[in-house]
Amino acid sequence: MSSPRLRVIDSHTEGEPTRVVIEGGPNLGTGTLAEKARRLRDEHDWLRSAVCNEPRGHEAMVGALLVEPHAPDCCCGVIFFNNVSTLNMCIHGTIGLAVTLAHLGRIGPGEHRIDTPVGVVVAHLHQNGSVTVANVPSYRLAADVEVEVPEWGTVCGDISWGGNWFFLIEDQGPKVEFKNLESLTAFTWAVRQALETQGITGENGMEIDHIESFGPPADPALADSRNFVLCPGKAYDRSPCGTGTSAKLASLHAAGKLKPGQIWRQASILDTVFQGEVEELPDGRVIPLVTGRAWVNGESVYYFDPSDPFLHGIPA
Ligand code: PYC
């Protein structure tokens, strides 16, 4: 493992941070983005930890490593990661990436194809600076799945794919309000553990590593729902979570509650909003279109002093 200098650009998307590594990342070789993500996870995990964990990062930080794309016609490839591992996909991060690339003068308004470990997504940078991401095909795998959660009782939810696997819970557990952050974290963490213990998974045994709890919005004039999303490393998403919004859109569509082109406004626990809609695919899945805003708010160069006991971060 070498000790390069890394150059990163920070942004936040509706409150959730993204840190794009624009220089100094390891050579991940050739192949698909899924193969490169596996190499990053198995052979270069120091980069993830150095970028996301303390002392440079914190539990909510999502990193994004820019790499060469594999799929044709893409402007770049990206691998997202957080305080504990690589992520399949991340929409708030894609919005942050698009705004970062615009800040660097590498892209302008218009549509940009971006290669990810779960497929190509399209980021549309609008003239007003907002970004719409056309996500990977999304779908509801199972509805009204019951899980026995120690100390919380039976919890019922949908299992849906929106680029990550989600368990979607409505009007159960603590009220979805900012003052309940601690109990919402305890509740959703208990649900996640119960799903794992009881062998409830996404397709092909994939772990359901995101838990999303929904309640009514603070103001129905501004949003249709407010959510709390527990990310894999136990941090809550400060944004409405784009892959979580995609999973929700897929569930609503499967339940006949959302028609193509109909707008769904998903508020986060901080009451920032993503706007979503779906396009139908012939096989019943949907392409979620998720729109949000991001702001570049910093730039750093990271040094790796071999005498620093935490040069690669403090493991989460
Ligand atoms: O916006 O998709 C998202 C996301 C995933 C994890 C954190 N944010």
Side-chain angles (χ1 to χ4, degrees), residues 249 252-254 256-264 276-281 284-289:
L249 294 171
L252 286 167
H253 176 264
K257 294 179 181 166
L258 189 76
K259 306 229 169 324
Q262 195 179 333
I263 299 297
W264 178 263
E277 59 182 293
V278 296
E279 291 172 356
E280 269 171 1
L281 291 172
R285 295 181 301 169
V286 294
I287 297 290
L289 306 175

Side-chain angles (χ1 to χ4, degrees), residues 13 16-17 60 62 82 87 89-95 135 162-164 166 210 229 231-232 236-246 274 290:
T13 304
E16 180 77 347
V62 170
N82 64 11
L87 282 163
M89 173 54 196
C90 181
I91 287 190
H92 96 263
T94 305
I95 295 171
N135 196 7
N164 291 301
F166 284 82
H210 290 75
V229 179
C231 296
Y236 74 92
D237 197 326
R238 278 68 171 160
S239 83
C241 190
T243 49
T245 299
S246 299
F274 280 161
V290 178

Side-chain angles (χ1 to χ4, degrees), residues 12-279:
H12 79 86
T13 304
E14 309 292 358
E16 180 77 347
T18 306
R19 182 163 281 169
V20 182
V21 180
I22 59 166
E23 272 175 39
N27 180 355
L28 297 175
T30 56
T32 65
L33 266 283
E35 287 165 338
K36 289 183 186 182
R38 264 195 299 280
R39 259 173 241 140
L40 176 66
R41 190 192 60 204
D42 297 344
E43 298 165 27
H44 306 278
D45 197 47
W46 63 269
L47 178 131
R48 179 197 60 72
S49 179
V51 169
C52 288
N53 287 333
E54 295 176 21
R56 298 184 188 89
H58 56 83
E59 60 162 16
M61 184 57 72
V62 170
L65 178 63
L66 269 179
V67 296
E68 285 299 312
H70 181 71
D73 304 326
C74 289
C75 66
C76 65
V78 64
I79 301 166
F80 293 108
F81 48 88
N82 64 11
N83 56 339
V84 290
S85 191
T86 49
L87 282 163
N88 295 308
M89 173 54 196
C90 181
I91 287 190
H92 96 263
T94 305
I95 295 171
L97 172 63
V99 167
T100 298
L101 292 176
H103 168 81
L104 291 169
R106 295 189 190 174
I107 65 169
E111 291 195 346
H112 306 280
R113 286 164 57 83
I114 298 174
D115 204 1
T116 83
V118 290
V120 173
V121 299
V122 181
H124 188 155
L125 177 63
H126 301 285
Q127 290 287 352
N128 68 3
S130 67
V131 179
T132 299
V133 179
N135 196 7
V136 295
S138 300
Y139 59 101
R140 182 174 73 176
L141 179 69
D144 301 326
V145 177
E146 290 195 345
V147 56
E148 292 308 316
V149 185
E151 292 177 35
W152 294 93
T154 306
V155 175
C156 182
D158 284 3
I159 299 173
S160 293
W161 170 258
N164 291 301
W165 282 108
F166 284 82
F167 194 70
L168 308 173
I169 303 161
E170 186 121 23
D171 294 328
Q172 296 161 78
K175 256 182 112 179
V176 180
E177 291 184 358
F178 187 74
K179 67 175 176 7
N180 295 337
L181 272 187
E182 232 172 85
S183 55
L184 282 162
T185 302
F187 170 62
T188 49
W189 187 250
V191 171
R192 178 171 170 197
Q193 286 178 315
L195 290 169
E196 196 180 333
T197 311
Q198 287 158 49
I200 300 171
T201 67
E203 204 138 14
N204 302 319
M206 278 175 81
E207 187 182 0
I208 301 170
D209 58 2
H210 290 75
I211 312 295
E212 188 165 0
S213 184
F214 296 88
D219 180 354
L222 301 178
D224 298 298
S225 155
R226 182 199 268 153
N227 71 11
F228 170 91
V229 179
L230 187 76
C231 296
K234 215 177 176 181
Y236 74 92
D237 197 326
R238 278 68 171 160
S239 83
C241 190
T243 49
T245 299
S246 299
K248 177 68 174 176
L249 294 171
S251 263
L252 286 167
H253 176 264
K257 294 179 181 166
L258 189 76
K259 306 229 169 324
Q262 195 179 333
I263 299 297
W264 178 263
R265 297 157 308 161
Q266 184 62 61
S268 69
I269 194 73
L270 300 181
D271 285 326
T272 51
V273 176
F274 280 161
Q275 186 166 297
E277 59 182 293
V278 296
E279 291 172 356

